[in-house]
DNA sequence: TTTAAATACGATAATTTTAGTCGTATTTAT
DNA sequence: ATAAATACGACTAAAATTATCGTATTTAAA
């Protein structure tokens, strides 16, 4: 309950690792996976996704790899989480989508209040705060 | 990711329902389950757990049921969540328990920082705020 | 120009967690 | 006595998460 996924965890580990390297130095999925004992393929996918989201940059070919691309100060944890895992909320109560009830859910409003608080909290934290 | 469990959801629905009743009026698991279309047995377990935790009171025998027992203003959402689901945190980083790494996890400190923020946030919200 | 090391990514398998059910015991008002 | 409720451990089912596989593409370097 209220747990992060591995994907996000691996992403954070990778970013934090990249920040220890000198700027524009590349590192590969293999390097990171071996250094921290992570499943390489899964980590690779996560890196690829971050590359699609322009958080990091990918360079192909041998001696290729990844490097940090954007300013981590400018990315909130909320945006980061949402890029990797979709909309952030304790529960999916947009429309009546996920809710068990058909129409009148008695906890909808309070749930949304909690959601707002969460989003606000993670909006206030930057990715750099976490990775530095 | 960062989702509530059904157990907690059912608990909130039940509490909110009880608050609409007049004080000390009993309501049964069956009543609530039918009113909101929830699985009765699972709801019952949740109610039983809340009873063990003294959030609500159980009365046995026919015409028995449950009623709110404690002052919901005095229970934080953090305590509520933790009673139902155990320690609250985006990730289990007490000791090295859950972490993939043996010793040196590079995101441990930042994760704990996030955990603290979450706990603080849910400490500031009372159960009544949600159920009223 | 061949090779090898890397990214890219869809499909699928394995695992874990969550959700729900079953069976049975106990309590107690009627 | 009966029936309606709570109580609870064991089990099953379903869903979500995590991990792997297979294959294609890119490109530096031999
Ligand atoms: S509408 Fe979100 S829990 Fe019911
Ligand atoms: S110690 Fe918590 S993620 Fe590593």
């Amino acid at each position: 309950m209220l747990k992060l996924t591995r994907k996000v965890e691996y992403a954070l580990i990778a970013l934090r690792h990249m920040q220890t390297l000198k700027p524009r130095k590349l590192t590969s999925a293999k390097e990171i996976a071996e250094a921290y004992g992570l499943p390489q393929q899964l980590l690779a996918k996560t890196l690829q996704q971050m590359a699609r989201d322009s958080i990091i940059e990918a360079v192909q070919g041998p001696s290729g790899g990844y490097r940090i691309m954007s300013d981590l100060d400018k990315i909130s944890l909320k945006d980061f989480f949402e890029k990797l895992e979709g909309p952030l909320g304790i529960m999916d109560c947009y429309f009546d989508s996920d809710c068990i009830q058909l129409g009148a859910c008695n906890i909808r409003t309070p749930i949304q209040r909690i959601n707002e608080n969460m989003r606000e909290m993670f909006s206030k934290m930057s990715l750099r705060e976490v990775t530095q």
Side-chain angles (χ1 to χ4, degrees), chain A:
Chain A
M1 181 208 179
L2 299 175
K3 287 281 179 294
L4 243 48
T5 60
R6 291 285 192 220
K7 200 158 97 178
V8 172
E9 181 178 0
Y10 298 160
L12 289 174
I13 291 175
L15 282 176
R16 195 152 214 254
H17 175 76
M18 290 184 208
Q19 278 211 317
T20 67
L21 307 176
K22 50 177 189 261
R24 301 200 56 76
K25 172 100 169 93
L26 289 168
T27 182
S28 70
K30 192 179 179 197
E31 263 176 27
I32 302 176
E34 284 175 355
Y36 299 94
L38 312 181
Q40 180 177 334
Q41 303 253 51
L42 188 49
L43 170 66
K45 287 196 161 185
T46 307
L47 292 166
Q48 284 155 27
Q49 183 168 1
M50 285 200 285
R52 279 196 299 274
D53 291 334
S54 307
I55 295 169
I56 60 180
E57 177 184 11
V59 175
Q60 284 197 322
S63 80
Y66 303 90
R67 63 167 76 102
I68 289 176
M69 193 187 177
S70 53
D71 184 350
L72 301 191
D73 273 320
K74 298 228 175 78
I75 303 178
S76 71
L77 227 42
K78 168 177 180 291
D79 290 344
F80 177 68
F81 288 165
E82 296 203 327
K83 279 182 175 186
L84 292 183
E85 299 284 1
L88 188 60
I90 221 132
M91 183 130 260
D92 313 310
C93 310
Y94 315 107
F95 322 103
D96 288 281
S97 52
D98 190 50
C99 187
I100 315 123
Q101 327 272 155
L102 307 181
C105 175
N106 75 344
I107 56 166
R108 181 169 193 158
T109 315
I111 288 284
Q112 287 179 341
R113 213 175 304 141
I114 300 177
N115 277 347
E116 302 258 310
N117 283 347
M118 277 210 113
R119 296 208 188 92
E120 193 196 340
M121 168 189 148
F122 287 119
S123 293
K124 282 179 184 159
M125 302 179 75
S126 80
L127 194 45
R128 160 150 286 123
E129 278 181 73
V130 175
T131 57
Q132 87 188 342

PDB file of all heavy atoms in Angstrom, chain A residues 61-92:
ATOM      1  N   GLY A  61      24.829   2.379 -30.261  1.00  0.00           N
ATOM      2  CA  GLY A  61      26.095   1.833 -30.734  1.00  0.00           C
ATOM      3  C   GLY A  61      27.006   1.444 -29.588  1.00  0.00           C
ATOM      4  O   GLY A  61      26.763   1.805 -28.440  1.00  0.00           O
ATOM      5  N   PRO A  62      28.062   0.693 -29.893  1.00  0.00           N
ATOM      6  CA  PRO A  62      29.008   0.317 -28.833  1.00  0.00           C
ATOM      7  C   PRO A  62      29.646   1.593 -28.295  1.00  0.00           C
ATOM      8  O   PRO A  62      29.753   2.581 -29.021  1.00  0.00           O
ATOM      9  CB  PRO A  62      30.031  -0.545 -29.568  1.00  0.00           C
ATOM     10  CG  PRO A  62      29.842  -0.260 -31.005  1.00  0.00           C
ATOM     11  CD  PRO A  62      28.465   0.235 -31.214  1.00  0.00           C
ATOM     12  N   SER A  63      30.010   1.523 -27.038  1.00  0.00           N
ATOM     13  CA  SER A  63      30.450   2.723 -26.303  1.00  0.00           C
ATOM     14  C   SER A  63      29.357   3.769 -26.218  1.00  0.00           C
ATOM     15  O   SER A  63      29.624   4.945 -25.958  1.00  0.00           O
ATOM     16  CB  SER A  63      31.737   3.309 -26.885  1.00  0.00           C
ATOM     17  OG  SER A  63      31.463   4.077 -28.038  1.00  0.00           O
ATOM     18  N   GLY A  64      28.126   3.324 -26.460  1.00  0.00           N
ATOM     19  CA  GLY A  64      26.981   4.209 -26.239  1.00  0.00           C
ATOM     20  C   GLY A  64      26.557   4.128 -24.797  1.00  0.00           C
ATOM     21  O   GLY A  64      27.296   3.611 -23.961  1.00  0.00           O
ATOM     22  N   GLY A  65      25.366   4.617 -24.514  1.00  0.00           N
ATOM     23  CA  GLY A  65      24.869   4.585 -23.137  1.00  0.00           C
ATOM     24  C   GLY A  65      23.898   5.718 -22.888  1.00  0.00           C
ATOM     25  O   GLY A  65      23.257   6.219 -23.823  1.00  0.00           O
ATOM     26  N   TYR A  66      23.831   6.110 -21.623  1.00  0.00           N
ATOM     27  CA  TYR A  66      22.883   7.165 -21.244  1.00  0.00           C
ATOM     28  C   TYR A  66      23.587   8.232 -20.436  1.00  0.00           C
ATOM     29  O   TYR A  66      24.576   7.977 -19.762  1.00  0.00           O
ATOM     30  CB  TYR A  66      21.754   6.567 -20.401  1.00  0.00           C
ATOM     31  CG  TYR A  66      20.993   5.444 -21.070  1.00  0.00           C
ATOM     32  CD1 TYR A  66      21.393   4.124 -20.923  1.00  0.00           C
ATOM     33  CD2 TYR A  66      19.869   5.711 -21.844  1.00  0.00           C
ATOM     34  CE1 TYR A  66      20.696   3.090 -21.526  1.00  0.00           C
ATOM     35  CE2 TYR A  66      19.162   4.676 -22.449  1.00  0.00           C
ATOM     36  CZ  TYR A  66      19.585   3.370 -22.289  1.00  0.00           C
ATOM     37  OH  TYR A  66      18.885   2.362 -22.888  1.00  0.00           O
ATOM     38  N   ARG A  67      23.035   9.419 -20.499  1.00  0.00           N
ATOM     39  CA  ARG A  67      23.508  10.492 -19.630  1.00  0.00           C
ATOM     40  C   ARG A  67      22.330  11.388 -19.274  1.00  0.00           C
ATOM     41  O   ARG A  67      21.331  11.433 -19.994  1.00  0.00           O
ATOM     42  CB  ARG A  67      24.606  11.304 -20.326  1.00  0.00           C
ATOM     43  CG  ARG A  67      24.139  12.020 -21.574  1.00  0.00           C
ATOM     44  CD  ARG A  67      25.127  13.064 -22.064  1.00  0.00           C
ATOM     45  NE  ARG A  67      26.282  12.505 -22.735  1.00  0.00           N
ATOM     46  CZ  ARG A  67      26.438  12.483 -24.080  1.00  0.00           C
ATOM     47  NH1 ARG A  67      25.493  12.967 -24.883  1.00  0.00           N
ATOM     48  NH2 ARG A  67      27.526  11.986 -24.622  1.00  0.00           N
ATOM     49  N   ILE A  68      22.480  12.098 -18.183  1.00  0.00           N
ATOM     50  CA  ILE A  68      21.421  13.018 -17.769  1.00  0.00           C
ATOM     51  C   ILE A  68      21.329  14.146 -18.778  1.00  0.00           C
ATOM     52  O   ILE A  68      22.334  14.669 -19.251  1.00  0.00           O
ATOM     53  CB  ILE A  68      21.693  13.572 -16.361  1.00  0.00           C
ATOM     54  CG1 ILE A  68      21.490  12.465 -15.338  1.00  0.00           C
ATOM     55  CG2 ILE A  68      20.760  14.743 -16.056  1.00  0.00           C
ATOM     56  CD1 ILE A  68      21.817  12.845 -13.922  1.00  0.00           C
ATOM     57  N   MET A  69      20.101  14.494 -19.099  1.00  0.00           N
ATOM     58  CA  MET A  69      19.891  15.469 -20.157  1.00  0.00           C
ATOM     59  C   MET A  69      19.265  16.742 -19.634  1.00  0.00           C
ATOM     60  O   MET A  69      19.651  17.826 -19.984  1.00  0.00           O
ATOM     61  CB  MET A  69      18.952  14.846 -21.179  1.00  0.00           C
ATOM     62  CG  MET A  69      18.855  15.581 -22.474  1.00  0.00           C
ATOM     63  SD  MET A  69      17.547  14.803 -23.443  1.00  0.00           S
ATOM     64  CE  MET A  69      17.562  15.897 -24.870  1.00  0.00           C
ATOM     65  N   SER A  70      18.266  16.580 -18.775  1.00  0.00           N
ATOM     66  CA  SER A  70      17.535  17.770 -18.355  1.00  0.00           C
ATOM     67  C   SER A  70      17.963  18.214 -16.965  1.00  0.00           C
ATOM     68  O   SER A  70      18.714  17.538 -16.276  1.00  0.00           O
ATOM     69  CB  SER A  70      16.043  17.483 -18.376  1.00  0.00           C
ATOM     70  OG  SER A  70      15.768  16.334 -17.620  1.00  0.00           O
ATOM     71  N   ASP A  71      17.476  19.354 -16.595  1.00  0.00           N
ATOM     72  CA  ASP A  71      17.812  19.935 -15.304  1.00  0.00           C
ATOM     73  C   ASP A  71      16.905  19.315 -14.243  1.00  0.00           C
ATOM     74  O   ASP A  71      15.706  19.588 -14.207  1.00  0.00           O
ATOM     75  CB  ASP A  71      17.591  21.451 -15.386  1.00  0.00           C
ATOM     76  CG  ASP A  71      18.010  22.135 -14.110  1.00  0.00           C
ATOM     77  OD1 ASP A  71      18.284  21.430 -13.118  1.00  0.00           O
ATOM     78  OD2 ASP A  71      18.053  23.369 -14.100  1.00  0.00           O
ATOM     79  N   LEU A  72      17.501  18.497 -13.415  1.00  0.00           N
ATOM     80  CA  LEU A  72      16.690  17.759 -12.452  1.00  0.00           C
ATOM     81  C   LEU A  72      16.021  18.658 -11.415  1.00  0.00           C
ATOM     82  O   LEU A  72      15.082  18.249 -10.744  1.00  0.00           O
ATOM     83  CB  LEU A  72      17.527  16.686 -11.761  1.00  0.00           C
ATOM     84  CG  LEU A  72      18.158  15.630 -12.673  1.00  0.00           C
ATOM     85  CD1 LEU A  72      18.729  14.497 -11.848  1.00  0.00           C
ATOM     86  CD2 LEU A  72      17.160  15.086 -13.677  1.00  0.00           C
ATOM     87  N   ASP A  73      16.511  19.870 -11.311  1.00  0.00           N
ATOM     88  CA  ASP A  73      15.859  20.834 -10.418  1.00  0.00           C
ATOM     89  C   ASP A  73      14.481  21.207 -10.936  1.00  0.00           C
ATOM     90  O   ASP A  73      13.600  21.582 -10.181  1.00  0.00           O
ATOM     91  CB  ASP A  73      16.687  22.128 -10.354  1.00  0.00           C
ATOM     92  CG  ASP A  73      17.757  22.025  -9.289  1.00  0.00           C
ATOM     93  OD1 ASP A  73      17.445  21.480  -8.223  1.00  0.00           O
ATOM     94  OD2 ASP A  73      18.889  22.478  -9.545  1.00  0.00           O
ATOM     95  N   LYS A  74      14.346  21.136 -12.228  1.00  0.00           N
ATOM     96  CA  LYS A  74      13.118  21.628 -12.854  1.00  0.00           C
ATOM     97  C   LYS A  74      12.036  20.557 -12.961  1.00  0.00           C
ATOM     98  O   LYS A  74      10.932  20.825 -13.407  1.00  0.00           O
ATOM     99  CB  LYS A  74      13.442  22.149 -14.264  1.00  0.00           C
ATOM    100  CG  LYS A  74      14.423  23.327 -14.273  1.00  0.00           C
ATOM    101  CD  LYS A  74      13.906  24.454 -15.171  1.00  0.00           C
ATOM    102  CE  LYS A  74      14.800  25.685 -15.099  1.00  0.00           C
ATOM    103  NZ  LYS A  74      16.040  25.512 -15.917  1.00  0.00           N
ATOM    104  N   ILE A  75      12.393  19.323 -12.607  1.00  0.00           N
ATOM    105  CA  ILE A  75      11.403  18.246 -12.683  1.00  0.00           C
ATOM    106  C   ILE A  75      10.914  17.913 -11.279  1.00  0.00           C
ATOM    107  O   ILE A  75      11.707  17.587 -10.401  1.00  0.00           O
ATOM    108  CB  ILE A  75      12.019  16.980 -13.315  1.00  0.00           C
ATOM    109  CG1 ILE A  75      12.572  17.316 -14.711  1.00  0.00           C
ATOM    110  CG2 ILE A  75      10.983  15.871 -13.409  1.00  0.00           C
ATOM    111  CD1 ILE A  75      13.248  16.147 -15.391  1.00  0.00           C
ATOM    112  N   SER A  76       9.610  18.034 -11.089  1.00  0.00           N
ATOM    113  CA  SER A  76       9.071  17.692  -9.772  1.00  0.00           C
ATOM    114  C   SER A  76       8.931  16.182  -9.673  1.00  0.00           C
ATOM    115  O   SER A  76       8.844  15.481 -10.684  1.00  0.00           O
ATOM    116  CB  SER A  76       7.710  18.345  -9.564  1.00  0.00           C
ATOM    117  OG  SER A  76       6.742  17.705 -10.381  1.00  0.00           O
ATOM    118  N   LEU A  77       8.910  15.726  -8.448  1.00  0.00           N
ATOM    119  CA  LEU A  77       8.735  14.294  -8.223  1.00  0.00           C
ATOM    120  C   LEU A  77       7.386  13.853  -8.777  1.00  0.00           C
ATOM    121  O   LEU A  77       7.239  12.739  -9.283  1.00  0.00           O
ATOM    122  CB  LEU A  77       8.801  14.015  -6.729  1.00  0.00           C
ATOM    123  CG  LEU A  77       9.685  12.859  -6.290  1.00  0.00           C
ATOM    124  CD1 LEU A  77      10.992  12.818  -7.029  1.00  0.00           C
ATOM    125  CD2 LEU A  77       9.907  12.914  -4.800  1.00  0.00           C
ATOM    126  N   LYS A  78       6.421  14.736  -8.700  1.00  0.00           N
ATOM    127  CA  LYS A  78       5.112  14.416  -9.254  1.00  0.00           C
ATOM    128  C   LYS A  78       5.222  14.142 -10.757  1.00  0.00           C
ATOM    129  O   LYS A  78       4.759  13.111 -11.240  1.00  0.00           O
ATOM    130  CB  LYS A  78       4.130  15.566  -9.023  1.00  0.00           C
ATOM    131  CG  LYS A  78       2.843  15.435  -9.812  1.00  0.00           C
ATOM    132  CD  LYS A  78       1.871  16.537  -9.506  1.00  0.00           C
ATOM    133  CE  LYS A  78       0.586  16.395 -10.303  1.00  0.00           C
ATOM    134  NZ  LYS A  78       0.747  16.620 -11.743  1.00  0.00           N
ATOM    135  N   ASP A  79       5.862  15.038 -11.479  1.00  0.00           N
ATOM    136  CA  ASP A  79       6.004  14.846 -12.926  1.00  0.00           C
ATOM    137  C   ASP A  79       6.805  13.593 -13.234  1.00  0.00           C
ATOM    138  O   ASP A  79       6.478  12.845 -14.152  1.00  0.00           O
ATOM    139  CB  ASP A  79       6.679  16.067 -13.562  1.00  0.00           C
ATOM    140  CG  ASP A  79       5.751  17.278 -13.547  1.00  0.00           C
ATOM    141  OD1 ASP A  79       4.532  17.086 -13.346  1.00  0.00           O
ATOM    142  OD2 ASP A  79       6.247  18.404 -13.719  1.00  0.00           O
ATOM    143  N   PHE A  80       7.827  13.391 -12.455  1.00  0.00           N
ATOM    144  CA  PHE A  80       8.679  12.219 -12.663  1.00  0.00           C
ATOM    145  C   PHE A  80       7.871  10.933 -12.483  1.00  0.00           C
ATOM    146  O   PHE A  80       7.862  10.065 -13.359  1.00  0.00           O
ATOM    147  CB  PHE A  80       9.840  12.269 -11.671  1.00  0.00           C
ATOM    148  CG  PHE A  80      10.765  11.093 -11.732  1.00  0.00           C
ATOM    149  CD1 PHE A  80      11.570  10.877 -12.841  1.00  0.00           C
ATOM    150  CD2 PHE A  80      10.837  10.206 -10.668  1.00  0.00           C
ATOM    151  CE1 PHE A  80      12.438   9.787 -12.885  1.00  0.00           C
ATOM    152  CE2 PHE A  80      11.706   9.120 -10.707  1.00  0.00           C
ATOM    153  CZ  PHE A  80      12.498   8.910 -11.811  1.00  0.00           C
ATOM    154  N   PHE A  81       7.179  10.840 -11.370  1.00  0.00           N
ATOM    155  CA  PHE A  81       6.346   9.664 -11.117  1.00  0.00           C
ATOM    156  C   PHE A  81       5.316   9.493 -12.230  1.00  0.00           C
ATOM    157  O   PHE A  81       5.071   8.391 -12.701  1.00  0.00           O
ATOM    158  CB  PHE A  81       5.625   9.784  -9.778  1.00  0.00           C
ATOM    159  CG  PHE A  81       6.520   9.622  -8.577  1.00  0.00           C
ATOM    160  CD1 PHE A  81       6.083  10.007  -7.309  1.00  0.00           C
ATOM    161  CD2 PHE A  81       7.793   9.082  -8.691  1.00  0.00           C
ATOM    162  CE1 PHE A  81       6.893   9.852  -6.194  1.00  0.00           C
ATOM    163  CE2 PHE A  81       8.613   8.925  -7.576  1.00  0.00           C
ATOM    164  CZ  PHE A  81       8.152   9.323  -6.320  1.00  0.00           C
ATOM    165  N   GLU A  82       4.711  10.573 -12.626  1.00  0.00           N
ATOM    166  CA  GLU A  82       3.635  10.463 -13.617  1.00  0.00           C
ATOM    167  C   GLU A  82       4.170  10.084 -14.991  1.00  0.00           C
ATOM    168  O   GLU A  82       3.506   9.383 -15.748  1.00  0.00           O
ATOM    169  CB  GLU A  82       2.825  11.764 -13.670  1.00  0.00           C
ATOM    170  CG  GLU A  82       2.109  12.016 -12.348  1.00  0.00           C
ATOM    171  CD  GLU A  82       0.898  12.925 -12.450  1.00  0.00           C
ATOM    172  OE1 GLU A  82       0.906  13.836 -13.300  1.00  0.00           O
ATOM    173  OE2 GLU A  82      -0.053  12.726 -11.663  1.00  0.00           O
ATOM    174  N   LYS A  83       5.378  10.541 -15.283  1.00  0.00           N
ATOM    175  CA  LYS A  83       5.966  10.129 -16.557  1.00  0.00           C
ATOM    176  C   LYS A  83       6.200   8.626 -16.566  1.00  0.00           C
ATOM    177  O   LYS A  83       5.965   7.946 -17.562  1.00  0.00           O
ATOM    178  CB  LYS A  83       7.293  10.863 -16.800  1.00  0.00           C
ATOM    179  CG  LYS A  83       7.075  12.255 -17.343  1.00  0.00           C
ATOM    180  CD  LYS A  83       8.379  12.981 -17.640  1.00  0.00           C
ATOM    181  CE  LYS A  83       8.048  14.326 -18.296  1.00  0.00           C
ATOM    182  NZ  LYS A  83       9.215  15.069 -18.752  1.00  0.00           N
ATOM    183  N   LEU A  84       6.660   8.118 -15.448  1.00  0.00           N
ATOM    184  CA  LEU A  84       6.970   6.688 -15.407  1.00  0.00           C
ATOM    185  C   LEU A  84       5.754   5.803 -15.155  1.00  0.00           C
ATOM    186  O   LEU A  84       5.676   4.692 -15.657  1.00  0.00           O
ATOM    187  CB  LEU A  84       8.029   6.397 -14.335  1.00  0.00           C
ATOM    188  CG  LEU A  84       9.437   6.923 -14.584  1.00  0.00           C
ATOM    189  CD1 LEU A  84      10.369   6.485 -13.472  1.00  0.00           C
ATOM    190  CD2 LEU A  84       9.982   6.451 -15.924  1.00  0.00           C
ATOM    191  N   GLU A  85       4.817   6.300 -14.393  1.00  0.00           N
ATOM    192  CA  GLU A  85       3.736   5.403 -13.954  1.00  0.00           C
ATOM    193  C   GLU A  85       2.328   5.920 -14.204  1.00  0.00           C
ATOM    194  O   GLU A  85       1.368   5.294 -13.768  1.00  0.00           O
ATOM    195  CB  GLU A  85       3.878   5.107 -12.454  1.00  0.00           C
ATOM    196  CG  GLU A  85       5.160   4.429 -12.055  1.00  0.00           C
ATOM    197  CD  GLU A  85       5.203   2.936 -12.410  1.00  0.00           C
ATOM    198  OE1 GLU A  85       4.229   2.426 -12.991  1.00  0.00           O
ATOM    199  OE2 GLU A  85       6.223   2.312 -12.128  1.00  0.00           O
ATOM    200  N   GLY A  86       2.211   7.030 -14.862  1.00  0.00           N
ATOM    201  CA  GLY A  86       0.871   7.559 -15.106  1.00  0.00           C
ATOM    202  C   GLY A  86       0.341   8.342 -13.917  1.00  0.00           C
ATOM    203  O   GLY A  86       1.027   8.467 -12.905  1.00  0.00           O
ATOM    204  N   PRO A  87      -0.883   8.847 -14.051  1.00  0.00           N
ATOM    205  CA  PRO A  87      -1.463   9.761 -13.076  1.00  0.00           C
ATOM    206  C   PRO A  87      -1.282   9.320 -11.632  1.00  0.00           C
ATOM    207  O   PRO A  87      -1.449   8.143 -11.319  1.00  0.00           O
ATOM    208  CB  PRO A  87      -2.944   9.767 -13.441  1.00  0.00           C
ATOM    209  CG  PRO A  87      -2.972   9.455 -14.884  1.00  0.00           C
ATOM    210  CD  PRO A  87      -1.812   8.533 -15.130  1.00  0.00           C
ATOM    211  N   LEU A  88      -0.949  10.268 -10.807  1.00  0.00           N
ATOM    212  CA  LEU A  88      -0.640  10.010  -9.418  1.00  0.00           C
ATOM    213  C   LEU A  88      -1.888  10.180  -8.571  1.00  0.00           C
ATOM    214  O   LEU A  88      -2.534  11.213  -8.607  1.00  0.00           O
ATOM    215  CB  LEU A  88       0.435  11.006  -8.967  1.00  0.00           C
ATOM    216  CG  LEU A  88       1.045  10.820  -7.605  1.00  0.00           C
ATOM    217  CD1 LEU A  88       1.713   9.477  -7.513  1.00  0.00           C
ATOM    218  CD2 LEU A  88       2.044  11.932  -7.353  1.00  0.00           C
ATOM    219  N   GLY A  89      -2.239   9.143  -7.833  1.00  0.00           N
ATOM    220  CA  GLY A  89      -3.377   9.255  -6.934  1.00  0.00           C
ATOM    221  C   GLY A  89      -3.550   7.982  -6.163  1.00  0.00           C
ATOM    222  O   GLY A  89      -3.256   6.900  -6.654  1.00  0.00           O
ATOM    223  N   ILE A  90      -4.031   8.192  -4.964  1.00  0.00           N
ATOM    224  CA  ILE A  90      -4.242   7.113  -4.022  1.00  0.00           C
ATOM    225  C   ILE A  90      -5.275   6.122  -4.528  1.00  0.00           C
ATOM    226  O   ILE A  90      -5.443   5.032  -4.031  1.00  0.00           O
ATOM    227  CB  ILE A  90      -4.702   7.786  -2.719  1.00  0.00           C
ATOM    228  CG1 ILE A  90      -4.068   7.159  -1.557  1.00  0.00           C
ATOM    229  CG2 ILE A  90      -6.169   7.874  -2.590  1.00  0.00           C
ATOM    230  CD1 ILE A  90      -3.505   8.180  -0.643  1.00  0.00           C
ATOM    231  N   MET A  91      -5.932   6.519  -5.595  1.00  0.00           N
ATOM    232  CA  MET A  91      -7.073   5.763  -6.098  1.00  0.00           C
ATOM    233  C   MET A  91      -7.520   6.481  -7.379  1.00  0.00           C
ATOM    234  O   MET A  91      -7.392   7.685  -7.486  1.00  0.00           O
ATOM    235  CB  MET A  91      -8.158   5.899  -5.032  1.00  0.00           C
ATOM    236  CG  MET A  91      -9.412   5.161  -5.279  1.00  0.00           C
ATOM    237  SD  MET A  91      -9.800   4.213  -3.790  1.00  0.00           S
ATOM    238  CE  MET A  91      -9.214   2.602  -4.284  1.00  0.00           C
ATOM    239  N   ASP A  92      -8.022   5.708  -8.350  1.00  0.00           N
ATOM    240  CA  ASP A  92      -8.397   6.348  -9.610  1.00  0.00           C
ATOM    241  C   ASP A  92      -9.852   6.773  -9.615  1.00  0.00           C
ATOM    242  O   ASP A  92     -10.707   6.017 -10.034  1.00  0.00           O
ATOM    243  CB  ASP A  92      -8.164   5.408 -10.791  1.00  0.00           C
ATOM    244  CG  ASP A  92      -6.795   4.751 -10.729  1.00  0.00           C
ATOM    245  OD1 ASP A  92      -5.812   5.477 -10.558  1.00  0.00           O
ATOM    246  OD2 ASP A  92      -6.737   3.518 -10.843  1.00  0.00           O
TER     247      ASP A  92
END
